[in-house]
Amino acid sequence: MLFRSRGSLLFFLLNSLNKVHAFYAFSLNAFVTVFARGIDLAPGGKKRAVKLSFRTVAKRVMGKFDWNMDLLSTLIPSKKAGAGGAKSKETPEPTEEEMEKRLNALLDTCTYTVYNYTRRGLFDKDKLIVSSILSMSILLKDKKLDPDEYDKLLRGVRKDNPPPLTDEVSQWMSEAQWVCLQGLEEMPAFKGIARDMEKKAEDWMNWGVHELAETQPLPGEWNTKLTDFQKILLIRSVRPDRITAALNQFVEKVMGPQYTNQEAFDAAKMYEESGPSTPIFFILFPGYSPSKEIEKLANDLGKTSENGQITIISMGQGQEPIAEGVLDKYTKVGGWVFLDNCHLMQGWIPQLERKLEIAAESAHKDFRCFFSAEPINGAPFAKIVPESILQTCIKISNEPPSDMKSNMRRALAPFNQDTLDRSTSDDKKVAHTAILFALCFYHSLLLGRKKFGTGIGIGLGSGLGYCRGDRKSVV
């Protein structure tokens, strides 16, 4: 029951993300694929023989849901696959302790697999929103979070006629913060907190003016009296500038560090999850183009433009017949096609949609379609890509994050030990390593400043935006 409840929670969360941006469209088909992958990845599972054939199951569900054949053939192995004449050995029934351990492993792995799949296609500004909603929805479902407190976080609290701001508190608190604090005092958990701030004015001021207030213990008994979520309510009221960091810390504590620290994009892992009926959609950002990454991955797998196994087309006027010809060819014989800048071809997008529908039904097993488009600033609900494509595709939003740690991880990811081994002596190797680290650190710092505006505070280059290409050209 708990496992089914978690599955429905995850699906409806994904299904509601299109209210944030039009690119965030997911189908039941895609969700089942990812959820099934999470079950396979969960530790402690035992494979059992499947009695139903693929064709039988396909007939049952094709009339109800828009499944693709790749998905069903992956989830339901054929009856012939287990036919060997000998009877399979019966596995003993698991104990209650083993069942609980297995259930916890399934919950953790499936939740993270679905979240990681979703996060990969989100804009950087939306990742914390989704992870916060996910963690709080799970706590609400498990009755570990008061719905009234959750509502207070979303709506905020204010008191209509608060008492005047006292001298002791006015040294570090504004009128607006005092009004919000008085609103909190109406909740039973915060009763008497304003009076305590007046009595222990120095202790509370040290906490209130601290640069990282969310990491500091609260004065007196309040540090143990309030729950982690109630501390977020306090941060929201008296230190609203630290609410983002407080939510990030809360998610990491509740769900784990993997929900807040994202690994650098790995094209090889993306390819393992793809299939002939699953297009891969790259969201474009200034200074970023995935064509080099796709070409490198294809070359590593023996697909080059010379042997005709990969074609990269920069879409524009007159490229429609070429793109359609390549799609038709690779659908039959196999191959990779990358259609760059599809947002420039709005009139042709329906043709691409039809070609991908045909490919989903009858494409060669080696067929892969990659395409990219750029979002329109200030128009999150613009229909740039058809919803049917968005629901079935793998979305990649390789946008530079705003935090230093994630940017450093991304900056250092392309360099391996072979890069350092090019140095001819140990002294040069030490110098090379230090220079490379310093360069990646400075590059990450510049990228992180985008939250203050493009190029703010970097002198003569104040009007420039920095990207991965800048780091590449310097290296």
Side-chain angles (χ1 to χ4, degrees), residues 179-379:
V179 171
C180 293
L181 180 66
Q182 291 298 319
L184 274 185
E185 264 222 283
E186 296 180 350
M187 300 173 64
F190 293 93
K191 203 69 178 174
I193 193 170
R195 177 69 64 182
D196 192 67
M197 286 185 179
E198 294 172 10
K199 289 181 179 179
K200 301 175 182 177
E202 186 176 350
D203 292 341
W204 277 103
M205 184 174 71
N206 291 335
W207 176 83
V209 299
H210 196 280
E211 185 180 1
L212 304 174
E214 74 283 354
T215 64
Q216 302 302 303
L218 298 177
E221 64 178 0
W222 294 99
N223 194 54
T224 54
K225 184 179 179 181
L226 298 180
T227 65
D228 292 331
F229 190 83
Q230 288 167 351
K231 290 176 183 177
I232 293 180
L233 290 175
L234 182 61
I235 291 284
R236 190 192 193 286
S237 298
V238 300
R239 282 298 302 272
D241 59 308
R242 300 304 302 168
I243 186 62
T244 300
L247 285 172
N248 198 72
Q249 182 178 280
F250 179 78
V251 171
E252 184 170 344
K253 187 172 183 179
V254 173
M255 305 297 291
Q258 68 273 24
Y259 283 80
T260 55
N261 301 323
Q262 185 176 4
E263 295 297 325
F265 170 66
D266 189 339
K269 287 184 179 179
M270 171 208 68
Y271 173 69
E272 291 174 1
E273 300 174 13
S274 66
S277 63
T278 309
I280 296 137
F281 171 38
F282 286 88
I283 302 172
L284 295 178
F285 300 96
Y288 170 69
S289 175
S291 57
K292 294 295 182 184
E293 292 171 311
I294 296 172
E295 190 173 12
K296 183 180 181 301
L297 176 63
N299 293 341
D300 292 342
L301 297 173
K303 300 178 186 298
T304 63
S305 55
E306 287 77 13
N307 62 23
Q309 288 293 299
I310 179 172
T311 300
I312 298 176
I313 303 173
S314 183
M315 298 305 293
Q317 189 173 4
Q319 297 297 314
E320 302 96 322
I322 300 173
E324 291 180 19
V326 172
L327 284 168
D328 291 338
K329 175 187 173 183
Y330 286 165
T331 299
K332 295 177 182 177
V333 302
W336 291 14
V337 57
F338 175 49
L339 307 174
D340 201 7
N341 297 315
C342 284
H343 58 280
L344 302 176
M345 308 293 293
Q346 286 295 299
W348 180 76
I349 288 290
Q351 292 294 325
L352 174 62
E353 183 180 13
R354 178 57 186 151
K355 295 290 182 184
L356 292 177
E357 287 176 358
I358 296 172
E361 298 173 359
S362 59
H364 189 277
K365 64 178 182 178
D366 292 330
F367 172 74
R368 296 292 186 278
C369 178
F370 306 83
F371 69 100
S372 66
E374 188 175 311
I376 300 175
N377 289 332

Side-chain angles (χ1 to χ4, degrees), residues 357-415:
E357 287 176 358
I358 296 172
E361 298 173 359
S362 59
H364 189 277
K365 64 178 182 178
D366 292 330
F367 172 74
R368 296 292 186 278
C369 178
F370 306 83
F371 69 100
S372 66
E374 188 175 311
I376 300 175
N377 289 332
F381 303 110
K383 302 295 183 181
I384 301 172
V385 180
E387 188 173 350
S388 62
I389 298 180
L390 290 171
Q391 286 184 342
T392 58
C393 69
I394 294 175
K395 304 172 191 65
I396 308 293
S397 174
N398 205 12
E399 181 185 12
S402 56
D403 65 292
M404 191 70 177
K405 185 186 292 186
S406 299
N407 270 319
M408 279 295 292
R409 190 181 290 114
R410 284 164 54 98
L412 291 168
F415 307 108

